[in-house]
Amino acid sequence: MIDTDASLAYGIFWAAYALAFVVFFYMMKSLFRLLPFYGLRTLLLSALVVLLLTPVESAEIADWWIPAWLFAGYELILGEADAAGRAIFNFTLAAVAMLLVWILDLVRYRLVRK
């Protein structure tokens, strides 16, 4: 069982992580404005979202979620390829979902520009 201090730290971590992601996302968005094609800009931003916001459930504690890039990296360093595979599976699902959203956004962009 997790005590209240650990739960508070977990909540603070995710709040700080979300805030840092929003700041980083807008910084990258302004940097990507230099790229000439809308599709390339949005593809890179979508990849950023998938890479940084995909979660994976902790194997140690039920109902605790960890950023998948952090979990996969840690498990690969430890040599636990099976555990890292769960994170890579989550990346795959998130990438497929984001790819569909990206394609729909390109269709919307094309229809609005006509």
Side-chain angles (χ1 to χ4, degrees), residues 5-18:
D5 289 339
S7 294
L8 179 64
Y10 177 74
I12 290 171
F13 163 77
W14 276 110
Y17 190 81

Side-chain angles (χ1 to χ4, degrees), residues 16-74:
Y17 190 81
L19 181 64
F21 174 78
V22 168
V23 170
F24 184 68
F25 182 82
Y26 281 109
M27 288 173 51
M28 294 305 289
K29 188 175 179 181
S30 65
L31 180 66
F32 290 157
R33 286 190 194 273
L34 300 174
L35 298 174
F37 301 112
Y38 175 79
L40 181 61
R41 288 190 303 251
T42 56
L43 179 64
L44 290 173
L45 289 173
S46 299
L48 184 70
V49 168
V50 167
L51 182 66
L52 296 178
L53 291 185
T54 302
V56 65
E57 189 172 9
S58 172
E60 303 295 322
I61 303 170
D63 296 328
W64 277 47
W65 294 84
I66 305 167
W69 65 268
L70 184 63
F71 183 80
Y74 182 71

Side-chain angles (χ1 to χ4, degrees), residues 96-109:
V96 167
M98 188 56 79
L99 185 64
L100 293 173
V101 170
W102 179 69
I103 290 170
L104 289 173
D105 182 56
L106 289 180
V107 170
R108 179 206 54 88
Y109 181 74

Side-chain angles (χ1 to χ4, degrees), residues 71-91:
F71 183 80
Y74 182 71
E75 294 297 333
L76 284 174
I77 288 171
L78 292 177
E80 297 291 331
D82 294 338
R86 290 185 324 145
I88 293 170
F89 178 74
N90 284 9
F91 275 132

